[in-house]
Amino acid sequence: MDKSWQVTLIYFITHLGLIFFMYPGDIIASTEDGHWIPIVLGFAVHLGAIAVYMKGLVRLGNRDIVSMYLGMGKGVSLLFLLPITVYFLLICVVSVRCLSEIMTVVFLSSTPLWAIMFLFLFISSYIAFKGIRSIFRTGLLIGCINVPVILFFFSASFQNVDWRYVYPLIGKSSFLTNPSYLESFFVFAGGFLFLGFTQPYVAYRKRHIVFGALALLPFFVFSVYIPILTFGQATASTFNFPFVVALDTISITWIMFDRITLFLLLSLISFMMLYLSIVLWSAMRVVNQSFPSLKPAYILLAIPLFVFIVCLYIPDWKDITEFYWWGTYLRFYILVAVPLSTCFFAGRIRKRKVGL
Amino acid sequence: MHTLIQEMKNKFSGDDDFFALEETFMDSRVVLAGFNTLLDIATTKLGLQAYIEAAVLTGTARDELKAELGEVCDRSDSAKARLSLLTGKLLICFEDDGSCVIMEPTPKPLNRAIEPPINENVFQGSLNSFTEDIHANIGIVRKQLLTDNLRVGSYHIGTEETTKISLLYYEGRTNMEFIHKLVGQIQKNRSRQIENLQQLSKKIMGFPSWVLISKFSQTELPQEAANFLRKGRAVLFIDRLPIALVVPSLLWDVFFLDSDRNLPLPLMLFLRALRLIGAWLTVVLPGLYVALVSVNPEVLRIEMAISIAQTRVGIPYPAIIEMILMLFILELIIEASIRLPKNIGPTITMVGGIILGQAVVQAKLVSNLLIIILAATTISNSTIVGLQHSLSLRISKYVIVIMAAIYGVLGILEGLLLICAYVASLNTYGIPYIGFSSKKDEIKHG
Amino acid sequence: MKRTLKRGAGLSAVVGLLCALCGCWDNRDIDHRSLPVVMGVALHDDLYEVVLQIPETSQKGIDIRIISQTGKTINQAVDKISERMETSVDLLHLKLILVETEYAREGLTDSISSFMRARDISPKTIIAICDEKLDPFFDYVASSMTPKGTTLYDCFEKNAGWNPQMSLTRIWEVYRSIHSYTRDVAIPIIKSGRSGTIDYLGSALIKNGKMVDRISPEETLLFNSFNGQSAQGKIEVMDHASVLILRSSVRHRSKFAHGTPHLDVRITLKVSIVETKGSVTSKLVKKEVEEILAKRFDGMLHKVQTQESDILGLGQYFRKDIPRAQLRNWRTEYLPKLKVDFKINTIIQNDGNTKLT
């Protein structure tokens, strides 16, 4: 059955969850002016990667990429599956630790960190445990509940905007080598990988994903520009999470709650949970297909446990950013190698079939 | 004496209402057997007499007469004879050739009439409701659906104690794969005995028993049942149960009622939106109170924060205990008012009203706002369709209350996510619970 | 059976764990927290003096409690107060921060940065300057204003006591002005009045977190309408009449030539005549409104240029003309050179209920 709509929605909302936390800070730190250039550049890379990846997946037909790599022999699967797994684990560690840190900074000052991390991991592994189809359906429900909230507060966040802060429009190209800019690719890499995993369970039309990606562009742009337009570049660069602070400056007087914009953040966190559950599930698939003797349920218990322990051993924010930075090389490897190799191998498989 | 009759006599020797009368039909001796509590023996005999006289007049042969009287059955089939006796049939045994006839007698009037529904209210819709008799129920459905595509399959379940269940579906609109699966399950497990719906869903259908939401949607209303059939769902009837069980149950049954469609479209949308909001409020409100009072007071406006603090002055326990305590009392009141007979029921309402409305607040046990929240929760809980659904909703709000007490507003949203994930993970033979149609999802994996 | 047992055990373990978690860390209920609404800050001899105005809830109603402490940092002072109270002090609901004039002149940068950093203080908190010592001011508030949860804060609440002559500045705006190259803010100045009122004295010009000059309430009105805040409802008093401003709209056009910025400003006012003295014509009223406003604007612009404090955000209009590296010097290099062509167009929308002769 065609599930394009669901897959696109999941793709959309998981990226929404990813965008608003670290991305604005990274982009603002990476350049002083003309922020739209790095955003659009990063987005173009993302779009290109997706287009190639989708092309490969179409050629691959009704299989997932894990079985494709495994079918290509031990060397190939080690070359690709090992980095993918490590990268998934890294994503889990970084996002869980990051989110819980953000939560204690902006919201729950007296709740211990481990409790928040436990909650995040518990929920995402529970959802992952229910299987990919269930994840998609959860996404549908939670999307119906949360997307209106998010759109409402997102449009409300233009309240304090001074459009003249847009200028100057043209900036230098020095951002290309800025570590913050390279880190910002966290948003672009990794979020799309799951599209190659869903194949035998959920079929979808690949073109829809590109539309979904295009719909994300305004969110990429404004997640960066809302803090800039509210505060100006000089001020926005002093914040760790510019978008979160920008949200805090909004006052909507006719609602009975005061810091209402926190609801936007928390809805986004629900999306992040969904993203984490997809990552956990994908990691489980890789491990499970490489070692079929391991039971999926045990893998799904072991991975979050491992992540939890690693998270507990990260003491402070500096180490998180370090972790974040380590992931960069892997990130670019994934962003480039996985789509290209999928396209290449899928083409070969197809040719072989035709040849027979 | 006839062996079958002897067997039956032995079997029912402890039953005073079992009778075996010897009679003479057309010069041959017969024995009539049955239960006089289930059939009206005098009228039945009169009817028999009329048959025989007619047969004598027209000169019908005896075998033809047998066929006319009812179903001729083999004498060795004692299980069938037993079942027919228990279901209120008359057994006629001919002594000379040993053959038996199972005849439909005049039954004792043991069924209530078709009445308006009791557990569901109808707003601008047909007022009939299902009754205990399975035949009457199927008949009512046939009256609602004048089509030759309605299929009815009946099965007797259980060996020691037999229950009759019927499966109804609309051919051409129902997913036949699903029907085959259902029928297969029933056939496979037909020897198992069921006493209640829990056993039906576990032993016969093979559903897990630890679920918060029943796999059957229940309805008392023929109009709704007919509509479910039209939409391609299957309906199960169980004898002696005045409810239609609709499989697969879907999330939207909780909010959408067919009789809504008798209203103009905007009004229908309004009603359905109300139910959705009601369900949402039920789940969120108690948790929101706990979260705002004890974990995230910064979300409240200052004016409200101060007035809530004012009403909470002197309350000796934390908000979560306060909330759970009052929710518990409320659950007790709801349960008590179901249990009590109708003429004592108002007492509970009154006493409950006094407790909840005035006394607890005056005694400084809970805050004013909590009472308002509680009332709003209860009211909104009742907006959704179906009692068993509102029960699942009532339980799920505790998840949110507890999570809100730990994590505040974050806990509420994550709790919602958990509930969504749970609801989304449900399926009936691969048909997802939150789907709009009863089309099957792909095969279940991982 | 075994499975049921296992499940039961798991379920009870989860429930037990949850119950244990509930009491695990101190989530204090709202009635055990003190929620100060107003905080006064002053700096004397390197010691911060912090005054908190806390609404005390009792069963009869609300009292205002005023507590002051000194400390090396603001936080230390707050902690000292918290120690002495029977409930813990939470700054989550702080709505108004009052700063003594001397402290404002010395510079607010450190406090504002720490307010922004602190999780509990909302960036939306309003800031104002108190033109007298804090202690007598708060004594006055406690003794002569009606005790209400949000006393004092209501003066600034937009849908309560605020009026268009008041500037309304929030902490994040002050923070922005500290870091931004092209934008400063004006902070309202208040003082205790007589018979239970608060007197509003005008606004302070802030430059890099320091108070450098002040402008009058009338100038603040102009400042508000220049910044697009609706100045509706204000009665403008002149020699011959007073008018009610119904709507104001501003149009800017900027030009940058030979290192000198030029700005054209057109303000369109729609007014209604409220009160007249003697016989006036609408033409006269119109002329006078325009003259007075132009004079006021010139006065304000003069202050802005001499103090190099860009409260009008004039630099914003030249962001596209000046490269970023030079924008840094906007206040010192370009602002004093700025030429503004200010024109007011008044439309008398109606004369009220009676005809104007």
Side-chain angles (χ1 to χ4, degrees):
Chain A
M1 204 160 75
D2 183 44
K3 285 278 168 61
S4 322
W5 204 76
Q6 272 187 27
V7 177
T8 316
L9 184 78
I10 285 283
Y11 167 83
F12 183 74
I13 65 177
T14 48
H15 276 83
L16 269 192
L18 282 170
I19 290 172
F20 289 96
F21 293 105
M22 298 298 279
Y23 185 68
D26 283 335
I27 292 288
I28 291 174
S30 70
T31 178
E32 283 212 322
D33 31 28
H35 298 86
W36 62 272
I37 303 173
I39 299 171
V40 169
L41 188 69
F43 185 74
V45 171
H46 177 69
L47 211 60
I50 283 188
V52 175
Y53 195 42
M54 288 303 120
K55 207 172 170 195
L57 289 177
V58 169
R59 283 187 192 167
L60 200 57
N62 199 21
R63 284 172 74 184
D64 65 347
I65 57 168
V66 184
S67 66
M68 176 195 77
Y69 286 133
L70 287 174
M72 282 290 136
K74 275 228 170 84
V76 172
S77 45
L78 198 69
L79 194 63
F80 289 102
L81 289 182
L82 190 67
I84 288 178
T85 319
V86 173
Y87 185 58
F88 279 150
L89 290 179
L90 209 66
I91 288 179
C92 286
V93 170
V94 169
S95 10
V96 167
R97 192 63 179 69
C98 245
L99 283 183
S100 47
E101 199 71 51
I102 292 173
M103 276 293 107
T104 46
V105 170
V106 299
F107 208 51
L108 295 163
S109 53
S110 60
T111 313
L113 210 56
W114 64 264
I116 302 177
M117 294 191 298
F118 174 78
L119 174 77
F120 288 165
L121 278 171
F122 172 74
I123 287 179
S124 48
S125 33
Y126 174 80
I127 301 174
F129 195 75
K130 296 279 183 189
I132 188 74
R133 254 190 283 279
S134 187
I135 294 177
F136 281 128
R137 291 198 291 262
T138 312
L140 202 70
L141 274 186
I142 207 76
C144 289
I145 297 175
N146 283 356
V147 166
V149 177
I150 286 176
L151 288 182
F152 172 72
F153 289 116
F154 185 70
S155 48
S157 63
F158 286 89
Q159 195 187 44
N160 291 318
V161 157
D162 185 341
W163 290 99
R164 292 180 290 258
Y165 274 123
V166 169
Y167 301 110
L169 275 176
I170 306 298
K172 292 179 265 328
S173 61
S174 58
F175 64 84
L176 277 175
T177 49
N178 192 310
S180 297
Y181 182 60
L182 301 181
E183 277 174 13
S184 78
F185 274 82
F186 180 70
V187 180
F188 295 120
F192 67 91
L193 269 187
F194 81 91
L195 295 170
F197 284 77
T198 59
Q199 201 58 273
Y201 305 114
V202 182
Y204 57 97
R205 242 172 288 145
K206 312 292 182 284
R207 200 153 30 106
H208 282 64
I209 300 296
V210 179
F211 293 137
L214 286 177
L216 277 175
L217 185 61
F219 292 96
F220 277 112
V221 172
F222 284 115
S223 72
V224 175
Y225 269 100
I226 281 171
I228 288 184
L229 296 180
T230 318
F231 295 112
Q233 153 71 20
T235 317
S237 60
T238 61
F239 298 124
N240 270 330
F241 311 107
F243 188 79
V244 178
V245 185
L247 273 186
D248 242 355
T249 65
I250 296 155
S251 53
I252 305 173
T253 43
W254 49 270
I255 291 183
M256 60 186 285
F257 299 117
D258 201 17
R259 298 195 180 177
I260 188 107
T261 42
L262 285 169
F263 285 98
L264 167 57
L265 282 190
L266 298 178
S267 313
L268 290 174
I269 287 208
S270 299
F271 291 169
M272 274 305 276
M273 293 299 100
L274 222 54
Y275 173 66
L276 275 180
S277 68
I278 287 181
V279 171
L280 283 176
W281 181 83
S282 312
M284 183 276 282
R285 291 289 299 165
V286 178
V287 179
N288 187 36
Q289 291 204 27
S290 315
F291 308 97
S293 56
L294 293 173
K295 262 193 185 169
Y298 292 127
I299 303 172
L300 267 182
L301 273 180
I303 297 176
L305 201 67
F306 172 75
V307 171
F308 187 59
I309 291 169
V310 174
C311 284
L312 282 181
Y313 274 99
I314 303 178
D316 55 17
W317 184 251
K318 230 184 92 205
D319 287 324
I320 306 173
T321 43
E322 199 120 301
F323 239 84
Y324 202 53
W325 172 238
W326 288 347
T328 310
Y329 306 105
L330 206 53
R331 206 167 291 146
F332 278 98
Y333 177 71
I334 300 265
L335 190 61
V336 176
V338 172
L340 284 179
S341 64
T342 308
C343 200
F344 176 68
F345 288 136
R348 251 179 51 182
I349 290 175
R350 192 187 242 188
K351 252 182 222 155
R352 214 184 289 166
K353 264 190 199 151
V354 171
L356 285 171
Chain B
M1 199 169 200
H2 197 283
T3 48
L4 191 63
I5 289 295
Q6 198 55 49
E7 211 181 318
M8 291 298 123
K9 267 188 174 165
N10 290 341
K11 198 150 224 158
F12 299 116
S13 59
D15 299 316
D16 283 340
D17 53 349
F18 181 75
F19 66 87
L21 297 174
E22 296 193 10
E23 289 273 334
T24 315
F25 283 178
M26 298 170 80
D27 308 329
S28 63
R29 292 171 59 73
V30 295
V31 180
L32 306 179
F35 284 94
N36 54 26
T37 42
L38 293 178
L39 54 90
D40 189 343
I41 184 72
T43 341
T44 310
K45 263 186 177 172
L46 278 177
L48 268 174
Q49 220 66 55
Y51 264 117
I52 292 161
E53 272 164 24
V56 171
L57 279 178
T58 51
T60 323
R62 198 203 281 171
D63 285 342
E64 276 173 57
L65 174 70
K66 278 185 198 167
E68 234 169 72
L69 282 175
E71 188 187 352
V72 183
C73 88
D74 196 25
R75 83 173 85 168
S76 57
D77 198 355
S78 69
K80 188 173 182 185
R82 188 180 65 94
L83 188 62
S84 2
L85 282 176
L86 282 175
T87 47
K89 304 275 164 41
L90 181 72
L91 192 67
I92 308 170
C93 293
F94 292 81
E95 291 246 305
D96 41 2
D97 59 353
S99 64
C100 289
V101 174
I102 296 166
M103 187 196 154
E104 196 68 52
T106 316
K108 278 260 168 78
L110 294 175
N111 289 318
R112 80 186 150 111
I114 294 165
E115 285 164 357
I118 296 162
N119 298 323
E120 277 173 271
N121 280 326
V122 185
F123 178 62
Q124 295 203 343
S126 79
L127 267 181
N128 275 352
S129 77
F130 290 122
T131 161
E132 279 77 11
D133 188 31
I134 193 166
H135 299 292
N137 288 348
I138 297 171
I140 297 172
V141 173
R142 281 219 183 268
K143 280 250 177 216
Q144 288 275 346
L145 280 177
L146 294 179
T147 167
D148 52 357
N149 282 331
L150 181 67
R151 297 280 166 273
V152 180
S154 293
Y155 311 90
H156 290 280
I157 300 287
T159 43
E160 192 195 337
E161 184 187 311
T162 326
T163 315
K164 186 175 180 186
I165 63 176
S166 297
L167 175 70
L168 280 71
Y169 60 90
Y170 201 119
E171 199 172 296
R173 298 199 185 181
T174 317
N175 179 357
M176 283 318 282
E177 212 180 316
F178 178 70
I179 297 294
H180 290 319
K181 175 78 185 158
L182 265 183
V183 173
Q185 282 284 350
I186 296 173
Q187 299 279 19
K188 194 171 81 188
N189 301 317
R190 63 185 312 165
S191 60
R192 297 191 182 175
Q193 188 176 320
I194 54 164
E195 289 147 24
N196 45 41
L197 288 186
Q198 245 181 49
Q199 288 179 342
L200 174 74
S201 79
K202 192 172 182 200
K203 288 185 176 168
I204 307 293
M205 298 302 173
F207 298 140
S209 46
W210 276 89
V211 286
L212 276 185
I213 296 166
S214 166
K215 304 270 181 188
F216 305 115
S217 248
Q218 303 179 359
T219 179
E220 271 190 303
L221 308 174
Q223 189 191 358
E224 297 297 318
N227 189 55
F228 283 131
L229 285 169
R230 274 188 213 112
K231 284 191 179 145
R233 317 262 200 103
V235 168
L236 273 175
F237 283 113
I238 300 178
D239 201 16
R240 303 293 106 195
L241 199 65
I243 312 170
L245 307 174
V246 182
V247 272
S249 71
L250 299 181
L251 179 64
W252 308 111
D253 302 350
V254 182
F255 306 109
F256 299 170
L257 206 63
D258 185 48
S259 61
D260 296 345
R261 291 192 182 275
N262 296 339
L263 297 167
L265 187 68
L267 303 189
M268 178 194 91
L269 292 177
F270 174 68
L271 279 184
R272 292 181 173 181
L274 266 188
R275 290 185 201 129
L276 274 166
I277 294 170
W280 187 77
L281 281 182
T282 312
V283 176
V284 165
L285 266 186
L288 201 63
Y289 174 81
V290 174
L292 294 188
V293 166
S294 64
V295 189
N296 296 117
E298 70 266 33
V299 178
L300 282 171
R301 276 194 181 281
I302 176 73
E303 294 87 351
M304 263 182 103
I306 290 171
S307 67
I308 292 175
Q310 204 176 346
T311 62
R312 267 190 64 84
V313 169
I315 290 164
Y317 29 68
I320 166 87
I321 304 289
E322 186 189 6
M323 177 54 86
I324 292 212
L325 194 79
M326 287 314 281
L327 280 179
F328 185 64
I329 290 181
L330 195 72
E331 304 287 1
L332 289 182
I333 291 177
I334 296 176
E335 183 58 21
S337 55
I338 295 175
R339 290 295 137 243
L340 276 177
K342 282 217 169 65
N343 38 9
I344 315 183
T347 322
I348 287 296
T349 324
M350 208 172 70
V351 174
I354 292 171
I355 294 182
L356 289 180
Q358 231 17 74
V360 267
V361 176
Q362 273 177 4
K364 286 275 154 210
L365 289 177
V366 298
S367 75
N368 279 323
L369 185 69
L370 180 75
I371 301 294
I372 298 170
I373 298 264
L374 219 58
T377 311
T378 322
I379 293 168
S380 52
N381 192 8
S382 319
T383 52
I384 62 166
V385 181
L387 209 61
Q388 89 272 30
H389 293 131
S390 80
L391 256 171
S392 333
L393 204 63
R394 255 156 70 188
I395 288 182
S396 56
K397 82 185 164 216
Y398 288 96
V399 177
I400 299 218
V401 167
I402 290 174
M403 293 197 47
I406 305 175
Y407 298 106
V409 182
L410 172 72
I412 297 178
L413 290 196
E414 298 316 297
L416 269 182
L417 180 63
L418 262 189
I419 291 175
C420 283
Y422 179 75
V423 167
S425 72
L426 293 175
N427 61 57
T428 314
Y429 300 140
I431 296 172
Y433 180 63
I434 67 159
F436 269 106
S437 66
S438 51
K439 277 209 194 89
K440 201 171 169 193
D441 209 343
E442 287 118 301
I443 322 129
K444 198 175 178 255
H445 285 280
Chain C
M1 194 61 210
K2 206 176 151 197
R3 216 168 131 198
T4 322
L5 263 177
K6 239 185 185 165
R7 275 190 173 149
L11 207 73
S12 49
V14 167
V15 170
L17 202 72
L18 281 176
C19 291
L21 273 176
C22 285
C24 208
W25 42 89
D26 51 326
N27 282 330
R28 245 178 258 107
D29 282 350
I30 200 165
D31 49 322
H32 299 298
R33 308 191 194 211
S34 291
L35 304 167
V37 179
V38 182
M39 177 161 85
V41 182
L43 185 69
H44 301 295
D45 310 325
D46 267 354
L47 269 185
Y48 284 99
E49 187 195 357
V50 173
V51 187
L52 292 181
Q53 176 197 318
I54 303 170
E56 284 267 288
T57 52
S58 64
Q59 289 172 21
K60 279 170 282 165
I62 296 170
D63 299 325
I64 295 180
R65 196 161 161 189
I66 303 234
I67 305 167
S68 81
Q69 267 303 334
T70 54
K72 285 210 182 65
T73 61
I74 294 175
N75 242 311
Q76 194 193 13
V78 172
D79 282 346
K80 275 189 188 169
I81 294 175
S82 194
E83 276 166 30
R84 258 146 247 205
M85 301 262 304
E86 59 269 44
T87 47
S88 78
V89 172
D90 244 330
L91 297 180
L92 294 171
H93 273 294
L94 205 61
K95 291 289 174 196
L96 174 64
I97 294 180
L98 269 180
V99 184
E100 228 181 72
T101 328
E102 282 84 67
Y103 181 37
R105 282 190 210 283
E106 275 171 55
L108 299 166
T109 312
D110 289 344
S111 320
I112 296 291
S113 304
S114 50
F115 291 151
M116 284 301 285
R117 179 173 295 124
R119 181 202 89 88
D120 40 3
I121 297 177
S122 162
K124 280 180 289 186
T125 314
I126 294 168
I127 187 163
I129 290 174
C130 175
D131 200 23
E132 61 189 309
K133 288 268 177 267
L134 286 178
D135 282 333
F137 178 78
F138 276 101
D139 284 344
Y140 168 78
V141 168
S143 62
S144 55
M145 291 183 85
T146 41
K148 213 176 97 183
T150 52
T151 309
L152 212 53
Y153 163 60
D154 277 348
C155 302
F156 297 94
E157 175 80 73
K158 241 197 169 156
N159 37 21
W162 182 78
N163 66 49
Q165 285 150 306
M166 252 185 216
S167 51
L168 194 68
T169 305
R170 299 172 188 280
I171 285 190
W172 66 267
E173 287 170 316
V174 181
Y175 185 75
R176 179 176 68 181
S177 107
I178 292 171
H179 290 272
S180 177
Y181 303 152
T182 52
R183 180 143 224 185
D184 283 306
V185 286
I187 300 181
I189 306 175
I190 56 169
K191 199 183 162 191
S192 58
R194 256 169 283 147
S195 64
T197 53
I198 297 291
D199 282 357
Y200 170 63
L201 301 179
S203 303
L205 261 66
I206 300 290
K207 182 195 173 189
N208 284 335
K210 272 186 198 153
M211 173 178 167
V212 287
D213 204 343
R214 49 169 76 188
I215 55 175
S216 66
E218 288 80 23
E219 283 168 333
T220 313
L221 172 78
L222 202 58
F223 160 79
N224 277 341
S225 56
F226 186 86
N227 279 345
Q229 293 232 18
S230 74
Q232 192 190 6
K234 162 68 183 118
I235 295 166
E236 185 78 22
V237 190
M238 288 168 293
D239 286 351
H240 293 107
S242 64
V243 293
L244 179 74
I245 300 176
L246 297 174
R247 244 182 62 204
S248 61
S249 59
V250 193
R251 273 170 63 200
H252 315 270
R253 193 171 301 140
S254 62
K255 205 164 64 200
F256 191 75
H258 312 298
T260 318
H262 293 270
L263 192 67
D264 265 7
V265 182
R266 299 265 177 284
I267 293 189
T268 310
L269 286 181
K270 284 195 170 174
V271 298
S272 151
I273 292 172
V274 179
E275 203 181 316
T276 52
K277 221 192 270 172
S279 65
V280 283
T281 57
S282 55
K283 221 177 192 174
L284 189 69
V285 171
K286 200 174 148 177
K287 210 182 112 210
E288 283 203 2
V289 169
E290 283 167 10
E291 268 173 16
I292 282 185
L293 287 181
K295 219 168 90 192
R296 273 187 202 156
F297 185 83
D298 283 344
M300 185 160 61
L301 187 70
H302 181 69
K303 274 183 194 165
V304 163
Q305 285 184 322
T306 48
Q307 299 295 344
E308 296 174 356
S309 160
D310 193 359
I311 58 166
L312 295 171
L314 297 168
Q316 295 289 75
Y317 303 103
F318 298 97
R319 284 188 82 95
K320 61 176 181 294
D321 302 315
I322 306 175
R324 198 169 170 77
Q326 276 123 51
L327 206 59
R328 209 179 290 265
N329 308 323
W330 161 259
R331 290 194 186 104
T332 49
E333 220 174 275
Y334 299 100
L335 184 60
K337 282 194 279 181
L338 175 71
K339 299 262 184 302
V340 180
D341 185 14
F342 184 77
K343 284 231 177 71
I344 285 192
N345 181 25
T346 316
I347 299 169
I348 297 180
Q349 193 171 316
N350 56 49
D351 315 337
N353 272 336
T354 51
K355 286 181 186 162
L356 200 66
T357 48

